[in-house]
């Protein structure tokens, strides 16, 4: 209670994707820098910020519920994030909120906070850890390199929520990454809406890093990040030509040989209706070349089935693509309309039960592929990063597993290890998602 009196305190509710998490971390970091306290409960807080997600209807519901809970439990609420871009919706449901701001509107959020809860006169700047306040476990961190997106995929409303691509200068990103590594982070997860397009909006303008000019583009960024003593994992990479230049960096071990590449479909007709860049055959050719250069390359992707106009023949083309591509990790969604998306106006919607049936058939094909690929790893030696240490086992990940979305490497037994440790293991067993392993020399 004493601390509460000395320090104006903000409660924080963070919803949504890794990109929203990065927004939350930036706001929390700024609050802390200005001397505000952060509270994990409504009780200790003078004011509550809810960082929302508005990507699909279910997320809108969840966000509105979270705002409702904060309003009824606490009363003094500021709303930010993707749903904040639809302020009328928020105000209609919860007229009592103090302020509503959109995504990555850090200055506006802070302005609203200052208005409703003035900052202390002497900020406790020393309380701020140099790497900022992180919501992820200590040993890995998301680094957002740009906001927004220049594409206009018909199922997506992100550009209307977050605007066109806006890249951070390369020096700024590298300084943040270096600080994180300095503070003990062992794995950097590079996120954006469109990582391959990084720098395009800045016309790849050079920025300074360690006193030398460096072009703001994804290849230079990956190269420079690769010099840091940490794993570097790239997410949301679209198969543009510059990706070819990333693969040698993976083969040389500078960044992880892992690509998170949302492909969404394998039928050219559906990809066209989705207004996605890149046609299916080209992707297969590129995959084959990338694997020649870097045989250990692991690819994760997501797909949508049941998109308006998708015929049984399109779906069969997708399954053929899936079998030919032999991707390692795959997620699949049955299409569902998103309020405000252009795809809602497309003809020939696919009935929900047909879409769900296709999703199940898709996942059955992929399950066999994933299982077979993991089984081939038995006997392999891998470096793994420890995430959790339990009484009877250690949960770790190899280069092939991104946190939260992929599988894990389970090491049975009690080991004197801590999260963030790297260890060498030999793979002893495999399932559909996970591997089992024992430390080498055990
Ligand atoms: S690439 Fe397409 S799906 Fe991804 S954020 Fe941009 S518009 Fe949305």
């Amino acid at each position: 209670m004493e601390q509460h009196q000395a320090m104006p305190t903000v409660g924080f509710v963070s919803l949504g994707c890794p990109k929203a998490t990065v927004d939350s971390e930036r706001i929390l970091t700024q609050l802390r820098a200005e001397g505000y306290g952060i509270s994990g409960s409504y009780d200790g807080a003078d004011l509550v910020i809810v960082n929302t997600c508005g990507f699909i209807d279910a997320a809108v519901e969840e966000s509105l519920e979270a705002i409702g809970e904060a309003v009824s439990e606490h009363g003094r609420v500021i709303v930010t994030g993707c749903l904040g871009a639809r302020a009328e919706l928020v105000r209609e449901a919860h007229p009592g909120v103090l302020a509503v701001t959109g995504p990555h509107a850090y200055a506006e959020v802070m302005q609203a906070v200052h208005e409703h809860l003035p900052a202390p006169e002497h900020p406790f700047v020393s309380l701020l850890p140099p790497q900022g306040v992180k919501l992820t476990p200590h040993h890995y961190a998301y680094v957002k390199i740009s906001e927004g997106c220049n594409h206009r995929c018909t199922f997506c409303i992100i550009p209307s929520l977050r605007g066109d691509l806006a890249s951070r200068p390369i020096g700024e990103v590298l300084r943040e990454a270096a600080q994180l590594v300095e503070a003990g982070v062992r794995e950097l997860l590079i996120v954006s809406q469109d990582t391959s397009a990084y720098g395009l909006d800045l016309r790849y303008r050079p920025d300074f890093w360690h006193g030398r000019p460096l072009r703001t583009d994804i290849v230079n960024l990956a190269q420079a990040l690769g010099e840091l003593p940490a794993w570097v994992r790239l997410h949301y990479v679209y198969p543009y030509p510059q990706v070819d230049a990333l693969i040698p960096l993976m083969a040389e071990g500078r960044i992880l040989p892992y690509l998170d590449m949302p492909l969404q479909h394998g039928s050219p007709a559906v990809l066209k209706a989705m207004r996605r860049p890149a046609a299916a055959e080209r992707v297969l050719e590129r995959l084959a070349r990338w694997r020649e250069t870097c045989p250990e390359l692991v690819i994760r992707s997501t797909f949508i089935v049941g998109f308006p106009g998708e015929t049984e023949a399109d779906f069969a083309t997708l399954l053929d693509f899936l079998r030919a591509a032999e991707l390692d990790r795959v997620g699949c969604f049955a299409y569902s309309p998103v309020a405000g998306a252009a795809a809602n106006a497309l003809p020939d919607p696919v009935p929900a039960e047909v879409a769900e049936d296709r999703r199940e058939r898709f996942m059955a094909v992929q399950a066999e592929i994933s299982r077979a690929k993991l089984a081939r790893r038995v006997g392999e030696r891998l470096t793994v990063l420890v995430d959790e240490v339990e009484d009877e086992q250690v949960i770790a990940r190899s280069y092939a597993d991104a946190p939260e979305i992929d599988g894990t490497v389970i090491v049975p037994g009690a080991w004197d290890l801590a999260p963030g440790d790297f260890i060498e293991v030999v793979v002893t067993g495999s399932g559909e998602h996970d591997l089992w392993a024992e430390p080498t020399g055990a």
Side-chain angles (χ1 to χ4, degrees):
M1 201 61 205
E2 254 169 44
Q3 187 196 36
H4 179 206
Q5 278 158 6
M7 202 190 278
T9 297
V10 178
F12 208 98
V13 179
S14 183
L15 305 167
C17 63
K19 283 149 277 189
T21 304
V22 174
D23 283 351
S24 295
E25 289 171 347
R26 285 225 201 139
I27 298 165
L28 287 167
T29 301
Q30 188 58 33
L31 286 167
R32 210 74 176 96
E34 293 188 15
Y36 288 95
I38 309 291
S39 167
S41 70
Y42 298 128
D43 286 350
D46 300 294
L47 150 70
V48 176
I49 298 177
V50 183
N51 187 15
T52 58
C53 176
F55 184 44
I56 54 171
D57 288 351
V60 172
E61 273 311 304
E62 190 194 348
S63 294
L64 286 175
E65 268 172 37
I67 298 165
E69 188 193 290
V71 169
S72 63
E73 297 278 319
H74 189 280
R76 290 167 53 76
V77 178
I78 291 174
V79 176
T80 185
C82 281
L83 188 62
R86 293 157 74 188
E88 27 13 284
L89 194 77
V90 175
R91 290 211 178 274
E92 205 173 290
H94 303 292
V97 297
L98 299 175
V100 184
T101 71
H104 57 267
Y106 315 114
E108 283 173 52
V109 178
M110 290 311 299
Q111 205 181 333
V113 172
H114 296 151
E115 204 176 301
H116 296 283
L117 184 66
E121 268 178 33
H122 303 290
F124 302 105
V125 175
S126 59
L127 292 178
L128 180 70
Q131 77 280 19
V133 178
K134 289 285 149 199
L135 295 173
T136 42
H138 180 65
H139 59 281
Y140 64 84
Y142 294 96
V143 178
K144 184 150 64 171
I145 59 171
S146 62
E147 301 281 358
C149 179
N150 286 349
H151 294 297
R152 294 294 180 264
C153 301
T154 48
F155 55 81
C156 178
I157 54 166
I158 283 178
S160 67
L161 292 177
R162 297 193 163 229
D164 281 340
L165 180 74
S167 304
R168 297 172 65 198
I170 195 164
E172 189 184 308
V173 174
L174 287 168
R175 270 189 296 280
E176 179 183 335
Q179 264 180 3
L180 287 165
V181 174
E182 186 97 334
V185 165
R186 296 284 164 259
E187 177 174 8
L188 297 165
L189 303 143
I190 306 305
V191 296
S192 72
Q193 306 294 347
D194 182 357
T195 295
S196 327
Y198 175 62
L200 178 73
D201 54 304
L202 300 175
R203 295 171 193 258
Y204 307 116
R205 193 169 58 223
D207 188 31
F208 283 89
W209 171 238
H210 284 336
R212 60 185 162 116
L214 207 55
R215 198 172 177 258
T216 296
D217 69 32
I218 187 60
V219 179
N220 275 302
L221 179 66
Q223 214 153 12
L225 286 170
E227 285 167 18
L228 299 172
W231 278 1
V232 175
R233 191 184 296 280
L234 303 182
H235 288 276
Y236 311 100
V237 177
Y238 292 103
Y240 306 149
Q242 56 267 48
V243 176
D244 294 349
L246 292 173
I247 309 300
L249 298 178
M250 297 181 178
E252 289 161 18
R254 298 205 197 192
I255 59 172
L256 292 181
Y258 177 102
L259 278 177
D260 172 10
M261 181 172 279
L263 293 168
Q264 309 303 10
H265 215 281
S267 151
V270 178
L271 286 168
K272 194 164 169 229
M274 289 175 166
R275 280 210 238 134
R276 298 287 293 177
E281 290 103 309
R282 284 282 292 134
V283 172
L284 288 179
E285 275 171 35
R286 307 271 299 285
L287 280 178
R289 260 190 290 133
W290 294 343
R291 284 173 173 150
E292 247 169 59
T293 311
C294 181
E296 61 273 35
L297 178 65
V298 156
I299 309 242
R300 133 167 291 273
S301 191
T302 50
F303 291 85
I304 296 173
V305 293
F307 191 74
E310 181 193 67
T311 62
E312 196 51 39
D314 290 321
F315 180 65
T317 305
L318 171 59
L319 291 186
D320 289 345
F321 174 82
L322 197 61
R323 289 191 190 97
E326 287 208 32
L327 306 174
D328 299 81
R329 305 282 187 188
V330 171
C332 181
F333 302 95
Y335 174 77
S336 74
V338 175
N344 301 348
L346 291 175
D348 306 320
V350 175
E353 55 289 0
V354 175
E356 179 52 30
D357 176 63
R358 287 181 186 166
R359 195 190 66 79
E360 282 167 21
R361 285 155 64 199
F362 177 103
M363 289 314 286
V365 171
Q366 181 57 36
E368 273 174 44
I369 296 169
S370 299
R371 193 187 293 275
K373 290 199 98 169
L374 287 178
R376 273 182 247 149
R377 289 204 183 265
V378 174
E380 236 181 70
R381 287 169 81 106
L382 287 172
T383 303
V384 294
L385 177 58
V386 172
D387 273 341
E388 285 170 54
V389 179
E390 299 170 359
D391 290 346
E392 304 284 319
Q393 62 181 12
V394 166
I395 311 287
R397 286 178 296 108
S398 78
Y399 78 92
D401 314 304
E404 291 162 42
I405 49 176
D406 292 333
T408 57
V409 179
I410 299 160
V411 183
W415 302 95
D416 185 15
L417 291 167
D421 287 348
F422 285 108
I423 54 165
E424 300 295 315
V425 297
V426 182
V427 179
T428 53
S430 67
E432 197 180 305
H433 300 290
D434 301 318
L435 293 175
W436 281 260
E438 62 183 33
T440 51

